[in-house]
Coordinates of all heavy atoms in Angstrom, one line a residue:
I1 N -3.2 -14.6 -10.9 CA -3.1 -13.8 -9.7 C -2.6 -14.6 -8.6 O -3.1 -15.7 -8.3 CB -4.4 -13.1 -9.3 CG1 -4.9 -12.2 -10.4 CG2 -4.3 -12.4 -8.0 CD1 -6.3 -11.6 -10.2
V2 N -1.5 -14.1 -7.9 CA -0.9 -14.8 -6.8 C -0.9 -13.9 -5.6 O -0.6 -12.7 -5.8 CB 0.5 -15.2 -7.2 CG1 1.2 -15.9 -6.0 CG2 0.5 -16.2 -8.4
K3 N -1.2 -14.4 -4.4 CA -1.1 -13.6 -3.2 C 0.2 -13.7 -2.6 O 0.7 -14.8 -2.3 CB -2.2 -14.0 -2.2 CG -2.4 -13.0 -1.1 CD -3.6 -13.4 -0.2 CE -3.8 -12.3 0.8 NZ -5.1 -12.6 1.5
A4 N 0.9 -12.6 -2.4 CA 2.3 -12.6 -1.8 C 2.2 -12.9 -0.3 O 1.2 -12.5 0.4 CB 2.9 -11.2 -2.0
S5 N 3.2 -13.6 0.2 CA 3.3 -13.9 1.6 C 4.8 -13.7 2.0 O 5.6 -14.2 1.3 CB 2.8 -15.3 1.8 OG 3.0 -15.7 3.2
G6 N 5.0 -13.0 3.1 CA 6.4 -12.9 3.6 C 6.9 -11.5 3.3 O 6.3 -10.6 2.7
A7 N 8.2 -11.3 3.7 CA 8.8 -10.0 3.6 C 10.0 -9.9 2.8 O 10.8 -8.9 2.8 CB 9.1 -9.5 5.0
S8 N 10.3 -10.9 2.0 CA 11.6 -11.0 1.2 C 11.7 -10.0 0.1 O 12.8 -9.8 -0.5 CB 11.8 -12.4 0.7 OG 10.9 -12.7 -0.4
M9 N 10.6 -9.3 -0.3 CA 10.6 -8.4 -1.4 C 10.1 -7.0 -1.1 O 9.8 -6.2 -2.0 CB 9.7 -9.0 -2.6 CG 10.3 -10.3 -3.2 SD 11.9 -10.1 -3.9 CE 11.5 -9.1 -5.3
I10 N 10.2 -6.6 0.2 CA 9.6 -5.3 0.6 C 10.3 -4.2 0.0 O 9.7 -3.1 -0.3 CB 9.5 -5.2 2.1 CG1 10.9 -5.3 2.8 CG2 8.5 -6.2 2.7 CD1 10.9 -5.0 4.3
Q11 N 11.6 -4.3 -0.2 CA 12.4 -3.1 -0.8 C 12.1 -3.0 -2.3 O 12.5 -2.0 -2.9 CB 13.9 -3.3 -0.6 CG 14.2 -3.1 0.9 CD 15.6 -3.5 1.2 OE1 16.3 -4.2 0.5 NE2 16.1 -3.0 2.4
A12 N 11.4 -3.9 -2.9 CA 10.9 -3.8 -4.3 C 9.4 -3.4 -4.3 O 8.8 -3.4 -5.4 CB 11.1 -5.2 -5.0
G13 N 8.9 -3.1 -3.2 CA 7.5 -2.7 -3.1 C 6.5 -3.8 -3.1 O 5.3 -3.6 -3.4
V14 N 6.9 -5.0 -2.8 CA 6.0 -6.2 -2.7 C 5.9 -6.6 -1.3 O 6.8 -7.0 -0.6 CB 6.5 -7.4 -3.6 CG1 5.6 -8.6 -3.4 CG2 6.6 -7.0 -5.0
Y15 N 4.6 -6.5 -0.7 CA 4.4 -6.7 0.7 C 3.5 -7.9 0.9 O 2.7 -8.3 0.0 CB 3.7 -5.5 1.3 CG 4.6 -4.3 1.2 CD1 4.4 -3.4 0.1 CD2 5.6 -4.0 2.1 CE1 5.2 -2.2 0.0 CE2 6.4 -2.9 2.0 CZ 6.2 -2.0 0.9 OH 7.0 -0.9 0.8
S16 N 3.6 -8.5 2.0 CA 2.7 -9.7 2.3 C 1.3 -9.3 2.2 O 0.9 -8.2 2.7 CB 3.0 -10.2 3.8 OG 2.4 -11.4 4.0
G17 N 0.5 -10.1 1.5 CA -0.9 -9.8 1.3 C -1.2 -9.1 0.0 O -2.3 -9.0 -0.5
D18 N -0.2 -8.6 -0.7 CA -0.3 -8.0 -2.0 C -0.8 -9.0 -3.0 O -0.5 -10.2 -2.9 CB 1.0 -7.4 -2.6 CG 1.3 -6.1 -1.9 OD1 0.5 -5.6 -1.1 OD2 2.4 -5.6 -2.2
L19 N -1.6 -8.6 -4.0 CA -2.0 -9.5 -5.1 C -1.0 -9.2 -6.3 O -0.8 -8.0 -6.7 CB -3.4 -9.2 -5.5 CG -4.4 -9.5 -4.5 CD1 -5.8 -9.2 -5.0 CD2 -4.4 -11.0 -4.1
L20 N -0.4 -10.2 -6.8 CA 0.5 -10.1 -7.9 C -0.1 -10.6 -9.2 O -0.6 -11.7 -9.2 CB 1.8 -10.9 -7.6 CG 2.5 -10.6 -6.2 CD1 3.7 -11.5 -6.0 CD2 2.9 -9.2 -6.1
I21 N -0.1 -9.8 -10.2 CA -0.6 -10.2 -11.5 C 0.6 -10.8 -12.2 O 1.7 -10.1 -12.4 CB -1.1 -9.0 -12.3 CG1 -2.2 -8.2 -11.5 CG2 -1.7 -9.5 -13.7 CD1 -3.4 -9.0 -11.1
V22 N 0.5 -12.0 -12.6 CA 1.6 -12.8 -13.2 C 1.3 -13.2 -14.6 O 0.2 -13.7 -14.9 CB 1.9 -14.1 -12.4 CG1 3.1 -14.9 -12.9 CG2 2.1 -13.7 -10.9
D23 N 2.2 -12.9 -15.6 CA 2.1 -13.2 -17.0 C 3.0 -14.4 -17.3 O 4.2 -14.2 -17.2 CB 2.4 -12.0 -17.9 CG 2.0 -12.3 -19.3 OD1 2.0 -13.4 -19.7 OD2 1.7 -11.3 -20.0
R24 N 2.5 -15.6 -17.6 CA 3.3 -16.7 -17.8 C 3.8 -16.8 -19.2 O 4.6 -17.7 -19.6 CB 2.5 -18.0 -17.5 CG 2.1 -18.0 -16.0 CD 1.4 -19.3 -15.6 NE 2.4 -20.3 -15.6 CZ 2.1 -21.6 -15.5 NH1 0.9 -22.0 -15.4 NH2 3.1 -22.5 -15.5
S25 N 3.3 -15.9 -20.1 CA 3.8 -15.9 -21.5 C 5.0 -15.0 -21.8 O 5.6 -15.1 -22.8 CB 2.6 -15.4 -22.4 OG 2.4 -14.0 -22.2
I26 N 5.4 -14.3 -20.7 CA 6.6 -13.4 -20.9 C 7.9 -14.1 -20.6 O 7.9 -14.8 -19.6 CB 6.5 -12.1 -20.0 CG1 5.2 -11.3 -20.4 CG2 7.7 -11.3 -20.0 CD1 5.0 -10.1 -19.4
T27 N 8.9 -13.9 -21.4 CA 10.2 -14.5 -21.1 C 10.9 -13.6 -20.1 O 11.0 -12.4 -20.4 CB 11.0 -14.6 -22.4 OG1 10.4 -15.4 -23.4 CG2 12.4 -15.1 -22.1
P28 N 11.3 -14.1 -19.0 CA 11.9 -13.2 -18.0 C 13.3 -12.7 -18.4 O 14.0 -13.3 -19.1 CB 12.1 -14.2 -16.8 CG 12.0 -15.5 -17.3 CD 11.2 -15.5 -18.6
R29 N 13.5 -11.4 -18.0 CA 14.8 -10.7 -18.3 C 15.4 -10.4 -17.0 O 14.8 -10.4 -15.9 CB 14.5 -9.5 -19.1 CG 13.9 -9.8 -20.5 CD 13.7 -8.5 -21.2 NE 12.9 -7.6 -20.4 CZ 12.2 -6.6 -20.8 NH1 12.1 -6.3 -22.0 NH2 11.5 -5.8 -19.9
N30 N 16.7 -10.0 -17.0 CA 17.4 -9.6 -15.8 C 16.6 -8.5 -15.1 O 16.1 -7.6 -15.7 CB 18.8 -9.0 -16.2 CG 19.9 -10.0 -16.0 OD1 19.7 -11.1 -15.4 ND2 21.1 -9.7 -16.5
N31 N 16.6 -8.7 -13.8 CA 15.9 -7.8 -12.8 C 14.4 -7.8 -12.8 O 13.8 -7.1 -12.1 CB 16.4 -6.4 -12.9 CG 17.9 -6.3 -12.6 OD1 18.3 -6.8 -11.6 ND2 18.7 -5.6 -13.4
D32 N 13.8 -8.7 -13.7 CA 12.3 -8.9 -13.6 C 12.0 -9.5 -12.2 O 12.8 -10.3 -11.7 CB 11.8 -9.8 -14.7 CG 11.6 -9.1 -16.0 OD1 11.7 -7.8 -16.1 OD2 11.4 -9.8 -17.0
I33 N 10.8 -9.2 -11.7 CA 10.3 -9.9 -10.5 C 9.6 -11.1 -11.1 O 8.7 -11.0 -11.9 CB 9.5 -9.0 -9.6 CG1 10.3 -7.9 -9.1 CG2 8.8 -9.8 -8.5 CD1 9.5 -6.8 -8.3
V34 N 9.9 -12.3 -10.6 CA 9.3 -13.5 -11.1 C 8.7 -14.4 -9.9 O 9.1 -14.2 -8.8 CB 10.4 -14.3 -11.9 CG1 10.9 -13.6 -13.1 CG2 11.5 -14.8 -11.0
I35 N 7.9 -15.3 -10.3 CA 7.4 -16.3 -9.5 C 8.2 -17.6 -9.9 O 8.2 -17.9 -11.1 CB 5.9 -16.6 -9.6 CG1 5.1 -15.4 -9.4 CG2 5.5 -17.7 -8.6 CD1 5.1 -14.8 -8.0
A36 N 9.0 -18.1 -9.0 CA 9.8 -19.3 -9.3 C 9.3 -20.5 -8.4 O 8.9 -20.3 -7.3 CB 11.3 -19.0 -9.0
S37 N 9.4 -21.6 -9.0 CA 9.1 -22.9 -8.3 C 10.4 -23.5 -8.0 O 11.2 -23.9 -8.9 CB 8.2 -23.8 -9.1 OG 8.1 -25.0 -8.4
I38 N 10.7 -23.7 -6.7 CA 12.0 -24.4 -6.2 C 11.5 -25.6 -5.4 O 10.9 -25.5 -4.4 CB 12.9 -23.5 -5.4 CG1 13.2 -22.2 -6.2 CG2 14.1 -24.2 -5.0 CD1 14.0 -21.2 -5.4
F39 N 11.8 -26.8 -6.0 CA 11.4 -28.0 -5.3 C 9.9 -28.0 -5.0 O 9.5 -28.5 -4.0 CB 12.3 -28.3 -4.1 CG 13.7 -28.5 -4.4 CD1 14.7 -27.6 -3.9 CD2 14.2 -29.6 -5.1 CE1 16.0 -27.8 -4.2 CE2 15.5 -29.8 -5.3 CZ 16.4 -28.9 -4.9
G40 N 9.1 -27.4 -5.9 CA 7.7 -27.4 -5.7 C 7.1 -26.2 -4.9 O 5.9 -26.0 -4.9
D41 N 8.0 -25.4 -4.3 CA 7.5 -24.3 -3.5 C 7.7 -23.0 -4.3 O 8.7 -22.8 -4.9 CB 8.4 -24.2 -2.2 CG 8.1 -25.3 -1.2 OD1 7.0 -25.8 -1.1 OD2 9.1 -25.7 -0.5
L42 N 6.6 -22.2 -4.3 CA 6.7 -20.9 -5.0 C 7.3 -19.9 -4.2 O 7.1 -19.8 -3.0 CB 5.3 -20.5 -5.4 CG 4.5 -21.4 -6.4 CD1 3.1 -20.8 -6.7 CD2 5.3 -21.6 -7.7
T43 N 8.1 -19.0 -4.9 CA 8.8 -17.9 -4.2 C 8.8 -16.7 -5.2 O 8.8 -16.9 -6.4 CB 10.2 -18.3 -3.8 OG1 10.8 -17.2 -3.0 CG2 11.1 -18.6 -5.0
V44 N 8.8 -15.5 -4.6 CA 8.8 -14.3 -5.4 C 10.3 -13.7 -5.3 O 10.7 -13.4 -4.1 CB 7.8 -13.2 -4.9 CG1 7.9 -12.0 -5.8 CG2 6.4 -13.8 -4.9
K45 N 10.9 -13.5 -6.4 CA 12.3 -13.0 -6.3 C 12.6 -12.2 -7.6 O 11.9 -12.4 -8.6 CB 13.3 -14.1 -6.2 CG 13.2 -15.0 -5.0 CD 13.8 -14.3 -3.8 CE 13.8 -15.2 -2.6 NZ 12.7 -15.0 -1.7
K46 N 13.7 -11.4 -7.6 CA 14.2 -10.8 -8.9 C 15.1 -11.8 -9.5 O 15.8 -12.5 -8.8 CB 15.0 -9.5 -8.6 CG 14.1 -8.3 -8.3 CD 15.0 -7.1 -8.3 CE 14.1 -5.9 -8.1 NZ 14.9 -4.6 -8.1
I47 N 15.1 -11.9 -10.8 CA 15.9 -12.9 -11.5 C 17.1 -12.1 -12.0 O 17.0 -11.0 -12.5 CB 15.1 -13.6 -12.6 CG1 15.9 -14.8 -13.2 CG2 14.7 -12.6 -13.7 CD1 15.1 -15.7 -14.1
R48 N 18.3 -12.8 -11.9 CA 19.5 -12.1 -12.4 C 20.4 -13.2 -12.9 O 20.7 -14.2 -12.3 CB 20.2 -11.4 -11.3 CG 21.4 -10.5 -11.8 CD 21.8 -9.4 -10.9 NE 20.7 -8.6 -10.6 CZ 20.5 -8.0 -9.4 NH1 21.3 -8.3 -8.4 NH2 19.5 -7.2 -9.1
K49 N 20.9 -13.0 -14.2 CA 21.8 -13.9 -14.8 C 23.2 -13.2 -14.9 O 23.3 -12.1 -15.3 CB 21.3 -14.3 -16.2 CG 22.2 -15.4 -16.8 CD 21.6 -16.0 -18.0 CE 22.5 -17.1 -18.5 NZ 22.0 -17.7 -19.7
K50 N 24.2 -13.9 -14.3 CA 25.6 -13.4 -14.4 C 26.4 -14.5 -15.1 O 26.5 -15.6 -14.5 CB 26.1 -13.1 -13.0 CG 25.5 -11.9 -12.4 CD 26.2 -11.7 -11.0 CE 25.6 -10.4 -10.4 NZ 26.3 -10.2 -9.1
E51 N 26.9 -14.2 -16.2 CA 27.6 -15.2 -17.0 C 26.8 -16.5 -17.2 O 25.7 -16.4 -17.8 CB 29.0 -15.4 -16.4 CG 29.9 -14.2 -16.4 CD 31.1 -14.3 -15.6 OE1 31.5 -15.5 -15.3 OE2 31.7 -13.3 -15.3
K52 N 27.2 -17.6 -16.7 CA 26.5 -18.8 -16.8 C 25.7 -19.2 -15.6 O 25.0 -20.2 -15.5 CB 27.4 -20.0 -17.2 CG 28.1 -19.8 -18.5 CD 28.9 -21.0 -18.8 CE 29.5 -20.8 -20.2 NZ 30.3 -22.0 -20.6
S53 N 25.7 -18.3 -14.6 CA 24.9 -18.5 -13.3 C 23.6 -17.8 -13.3 O 23.5 -16.7 -13.8 CB 25.8 -18.1 -12.1 OG 27.0 -18.9 -12.1
L54 N 22.6 -18.4 -12.6 CA 21.3 -17.8 -12.5 C 21.0 -17.6 -11.0 O 21.3 -18.5 -10.2 CB 20.2 -18.7 -13.1 CG 18.8 -18.1 -13.1 CD1 18.7 -16.9 -13.9 CD2 17.8 -19.2 -13.5
F55 N 20.6 -16.4 -10.6 CA 20.3 -16.1 -9.2 C 18.9 -15.6 -9.1 O 18.3 -14.9 -9.9 CB 21.3 -15.0 -8.7 CG 22.7 -15.4 -8.7 CD1 23.5 -15.2 -9.9 CD2 23.3 -16.0 -7.6 CE1 24.8 -15.5 -9.9 CE2 24.6 -16.3 -7.6 CZ 25.4 -16.1 -8.8
L56 N 18.3 -16.0 -7.9 CA 17.0 -15.4 -7.5 C 17.3 -14.5 -6.3 O 17.7 -15.0 -5.3 CB 16.0 -16.6 -7.2 CG 15.7 -17.5 -8.3 CD1 14.9 -18.7 -7.8 CD2 14.9 -16.7 -9.4
I57 N 17.1 -13.2 -6.5 CA 17.6 -12.2 -5.6 C 16.4 -11.7 -4.7 O 15.4 -11.3 -5.2 CB 18.2 -11.0 -6.3 CG1 19.2 -11.5 -7.3 CG2 18.7 -10.0 -5.4 CD1 20.5 -12.1 -6.7
S58 N 16.6 -11.7 -3.4 CA 15.6 -11.1 -2.5 C 15.8 -9.6 -2.5 O 16.8 -9.1 -2.8 CB 15.9 -11.6 -1.1 OG 15.7 -13.0 -1.0
A59 N 14.7 -8.9 -2.2 CA 14.7 -7.4 -2.0 C 14.6 -7.1 -0.6 O 13.8 -6.2 -0.2 CB 13.7 -6.8 -2.9
N60 N 15.3 -7.8 0.3 CA 15.3 -7.5 1.7 C 16.6 -8.2 2.2 O 16.8 -9.4 2.0 CB 14.1 -8.2 2.4 CG 14.0 -7.9 3.9 OD1 15.0 -7.6 4.5 ND2 12.8 -8.0 4.4
E61 N 17.5 -7.4 2.8 CA 18.8 -7.8 3.2 C 18.7 -8.9 4.2 O 19.7 -9.7 4.4 CB 19.6 -6.6 3.8 CG 19.9 -5.6 2.7 CD 20.5 -4.3 3.3 OE1 20.7 -4.3 4.5 OE2 20.8 -3.4 2.5
E62 N 17.6 -9.1 4.9 CA 17.4 -10.2 5.9 C 17.2 -11.5 5.3 O 17.2 -12.5 6.0 CB 16.3 -9.8 6.9 CG 16.6 -8.6 7.7 CD 15.5 -8.2 8.7 OE1 14.7 -9.1 9.0 OE2 15.5 -7.0 9.1
Y63 N 16.9 -11.6 4.0 CA 16.6 -12.9 3.3 C 17.8 -13.2 2.3 O 18.2 -12.3 1.6 CB 15.3 -12.8 2.6 CG 14.1 -12.7 3.5 CD1 13.8 -11.5 4.2 CD2 13.4 -13.9 3.8 CE1 12.7 -11.5 5.0 CE2 12.3 -13.8 4.6 CZ 12.0 -12.6 5.3 OH 10.9 -12.6 6.1
P64 N 18.2 -14.4 2.3 CA 19.3 -14.8 1.4 C 18.8 -14.8 -0.1 O 17.6 -15.1 -0.4 CB 19.8 -16.1 1.8 CG 18.5 -16.7 2.5 CD 17.8 -15.6 3.1
S65 N 19.7 -14.6 -1.0 CA 19.4 -14.8 -2.4 C 19.8 -16.3 -2.7 O 20.4 -16.9 -1.9 CB 20.3 -13.9 -3.3 OG 19.9 -12.5 -3.0
I66 N 19.3 -16.8 -3.8 CA 19.4 -18.2 -4.1 C 20.2 -18.3 -5.5 O 19.7 -17.7 -6.5 CB 18.0 -18.9 -4.3 CG1 17.3 -18.7 -3.0 CG2 18.2 -20.3 -4.7 CD1 15.8 -19.0 -3.1
E67 N 21.3 -19.1 -5.4 CA 21.9 -19.4 -6.7 C 21.3 -20.7 -7.2 O 21.3 -21.7 -6.5 CB 23.4 -19.6 -6.5 CG 24.1 -19.9 -7.9 CD 25.6 -20.0 -7.8 OE1 26.1 -19.9 -6.7 OE2 26.2 -20.2 -8.8
V68 N 20.7 -20.7 -8.4 CA 20.1 -21.8 -8.9 C 21.1 -22.8 -9.5 O 21.9 -22.4 -10.4 CB 19.1 -21.4 -10.0 CG1 18.4 -22.7 -10.6 CG2 18.0 -20.5 -9.5
K69 N 21.2 -23.9 -8.9 CA 22.2 -25.0 -9.3 C 21.5 -25.9 -10.2 O 20.3 -26.1 -10.2 CB 22.7 -25.7 -8.1 CG 23.4 -24.8 -7.0 CD 24.7 -24.4 -7.5 CE 25.5 -23.7 -6.4 NZ 26.8 -23.4 -6.7
E70 N 22.3 -26.6 -11.0 CA 21.8 -27.5 -12.0 C 21.0 -28.7 -11.4 O 20.0 -29.1 -12.0 CB 23.0 -28.1 -12.8 CG 22.6 -28.7 -14.1 CD 23.8 -29.1 -15.0 OE1 24.6 -28.2 -15.2 OE2 23.9 -30.3 -15.4
E71 N 21.4 -29.1 -10.2 CA 20.7 -30.2 -9.6 C 19.4 -29.8 -8.9 O 18.6 -30.6 -8.4 CB 21.6 -30.9 -8.6 CG 22.0 -30.1 -7.4 CD 23.2 -29.2 -7.6 OE1 23.8 -29.2 -8.8 OE2 23.7 -28.6 -6.7
M72 N 19.1 -28.5 -8.9 CA 17.9 -28.0 -8.2 C 16.7 -28.2 -9.2 O 16.8 -28.0 -10.4 CB 18.0 -26.5 -7.9 CG 19.0 -26.3 -6.8 SD 19.2 -24.5 -6.5 CE 17.7 -24.1 -5.6
E73 N 15.5 -28.5 -8.6 CA 14.3 -28.6 -9.3 C 13.7 -27.2 -9.3 O 13.0 -26.9 -8.4 CB 13.4 -29.7 -8.6 CG 12.1 -30.0 -9.3 CD 11.3 -31.0 -8.6 OE1 11.8 -32.1 -8.3 OE2 10.1 -30.7 -8.3
C74 N 14.0 -26.5 -10.3 CA 13.6 -25.1 -10.3 C 13.1 -24.7 -11.7 O 13.8 -25.0 -12.7 CB 14.8 -24.2 -9.9 SG 14.4 -22.4 -10.0
F75 N 12.0 -23.9 -11.8 CA 11.6 -23.3 -13.0 C 10.9 -22.0 -12.7 O 10.4 -21.8 -11.7 CB 10.7 -24.3 -13.9 CG 9.4 -24.5 -13.3 CD1 8.3 -23.7 -13.7 CD2 9.2 -25.6 -12.4 CE1 7.0 -24.0 -13.2 CE2 7.9 -25.8 -11.9 CZ 6.8 -25.0 -12.3
I76 N 11.0 -21.1 -13.7 CA 10.3 -19.8 -13.6 C 8.9 -20.0 -14.0 O 8.6 -20.3 -15.2 CB 11.0 -18.7 -14.5 CG1 12.5 -18.7 -14.1 CG2 10.3 -17.4 -14.3 CD1 12.8 -18.4 -12.6
W77 N 7.9 -19.7 -13.1 CA 6.5 -19.9 -13.3 C 5.9 -18.8 -14.1 O 5.0 -19.0 -14.9 CB 5.9 -20.1 -12.0 CG 4.5 -20.6 -12.0 CD1 4.1 -21.9 -12.2 CD2 3.3 -19.8 -11.8 NE1 2.7 -21.9 -12.2 CE2 2.2 -20.7 -11.9 CE3 3.1 -18.5 -11.6 CZ2 0.9 -20.2 -11.8 CZ3 1.8 -18.0 -11.5 CH2 0.7 -18.9 -11.6
G78 N 6.4 -17.5 -13.9 CA 5.9 -16.4 -14.6 C 6.5 -15.1 -14.1 O 7.3 -15.1 -13.1
V79 N 6.2 -14.0 -14.9 CA 6.8 -12.7 -14.6 C 5.7 -11.8 -13.9 O 4.6 -11.8 -14.5 CB 7.3 -12.0 -15.9 CG1 7.8 -10.6 -15.6 CG2 8.4 -12.9 -16.5
V80 N 6.0 -11.2 -12.8 CA 5.1 -10.3 -12.2 C 5.0 -9.0 -13.0 O 6.0 -8.4 -13.2 CB 5.5 -10.0 -10.7 CG1 4.6 -9.0 -10.1 CG2 5.6 -11.3 -9.9
T81 N 3.8 -8.6 -13.4 CA 3.6 -7.4 -14.2 C 3.0 -6.3 -13.5 O 3.2 -5.1 -13.8 CB 2.8 -7.7 -15.5 OG1 1.5 -8.3 -15.1 CG2 3.5 -8.7 -16.4
Y82 N 2.2 -6.6 -12.4 CA 1.5 -5.6 -11.6 C 1.5 -6.1 -10.2 O 1.3 -7.3 -9.9 CB 0.1 -5.3 -12.1 CG 0.1 -4.7 -13.5 CD1 -0.1 -5.5 -14.6 CD2 0.2 -3.3 -13.6 CE1 -0.2 -4.9 -15.8 CE2 0.2 -2.7 -14.9 CZ 0.0 -3.5 -16.0 OH 0.0 -3.0 -17.2
T83 N 1.5 -5.2 -9.2 CA 1.3 -5.4 -7.8 C 0.1 -4.6 -7.3 O 0.1 -3.4 -7.6 CB 2.5 -5.1 -7.0 OG1 3.6 -5.8 -7.5 CG2 2.4 -5.5 -5.6
I84 N -0.8 -5.3 -6.7 CA -2.0 -4.6 -6.1 C -1.9 -4.6 -4.6 O -1.8 -5.6 -4.0 CB -3.3 -5.3 -6.5 CG1 -3.4 -5.3 -8.1 CG2 -4.5 -4.5 -5.9 CD1 -4.5 -6.1 -8.6
H85 N -1.8 -3.4 -4.0 CA -1.7 -3.2 -2.5 C -3.1 -3.0 -2.0 O -3.9 -2.3 -2.6 CB -0.8 -2.0 -2.2 CG 0.6 -2.0 -2.7 ND1 1.6 -2.9 -2.3 CD2 1.1 -1.3 -3.8 CE1 2.7 -2.7 -3.0 NE2 2.4 -1.7 -3.9
E86 N -3.3 -3.5 -0.8 CA -4.5 -3.2 0.0 C -4.4 -1.7 0.4 O -3.3 -1.3 0.9 CB -4.6 -4.1 1.2 CG -5.9 -3.8 2.0 CD -6.0 -4.8 3.1 OE1 -5.4 -5.9 3.1 OE2 -6.7 -4.4 4.1
T87 N -5.4 -1.0 0.3 CA -5.4 0.4 0.8 C -5.8 0.4 2.3 O -6.6 -0.4 2.7 CB -6.4 1.3 0.0 OG1 -7.7 0.8 0.1 CG2 -6.0 1.4 -1.5
T88 N -5.2 1.3 3.0 CA -5.6 1.5 4.4 C -6.1 2.9 4.6 O -5.8 3.8 3.9 CB -4.3 1.3 5.3 OG1 -3.3 2.2 4.9 CG2 -3.8 -0.1 5.1
S89 N -7.0 3.0 5.5 CA -7.5 4.3 5.8 C -6.9 4.9 7.1 O -6.6 4.1 8.0 CB -9.1 4.3 6.0 OG -9.4 3.3 7.0
Y90 N -6.6 6.1 7.1 CA -5.9 6.8 8.2 C -6.9 7.7 9.0 O -7.8 8.2 8.5 CB -4.8 7.6 7.7 CG -3.7 6.8 7.1 CD1 -3.7 6.6 5.7 CD2 -2.7 6.2 7.8 CE1 -2.7 5.8 5.1 CE2 -1.7 5.4 7.3 CZ -1.7 5.2 5.9 OH -0.7 4.4 5.4

């Protein structure tokens, strides 16, 4: 379980404070939401492979997507399988 922080995935329904259930045994596929480690920092993004390039895509136009370069210290930590939102009372 990982707690989301930030607004880079709001258009995918992942909000800051959400609890993300992550399965590390699943092989990621195109458009899966993943937890990636980039230079030791964890980030939540959609994964997309185009030809020989790999991208980590934000689900918020205000945040840049990341093209994973060979020289980057990056690995996919796991695939998000469920998102738990905090309920609010009105």
Side-chain angles (χ1 to χ4, degrees):
I1 298 175
V2 176
K3 189 172 189 175
S5 176
S8 72
M9 294 299 290
I10 59 172
Q11 292 171 340
V14 177
Y15 301 94
S16 192
D18 285 355
L19 297 179
L20 308 177
I21 308 299
V22 181
D23 190 333
R24 297 187 71 193
S25 70
I26 296 174
T27 300
R29 299 179 307 202
N30 262 348
N31 295 315
D32 280 349
I33 295 175
V34 299
I35 307 294
S37 173
I38 302 174
F39 297 112
D41 292 326
L42 295 180
T43 188
V44 181
K45 300 283 186 262
K46 282 189 177 183
I47 191 168
R48 189 161 304 142
K49 187 172 182 178
K50 289 184 179 180
E51 298 170 15
K52 293 183 179 186
S53 298
L54 182 66
F55 297 89
L56 297 171
I57 309 293
S58 297
N60 182 337
E61 295 170 1
E62 295 180 21
Y63 290 79
S65 296
I66 301 165
E67 181 177 1
V68 178
K69 301 284 189 177
E70 198 171 305
E71 64 273 6
M72 293 174 73
E73 188 180 304
C74 178
F75 69 92
I76 304 304
W77 192 78
V79 176
V80 176
T81 55
Y82 295 95
T83 303
I84 301 171
H85 303 286
E86 181 179 337
T87 58
T88 56
S89 55
Y90 295 95

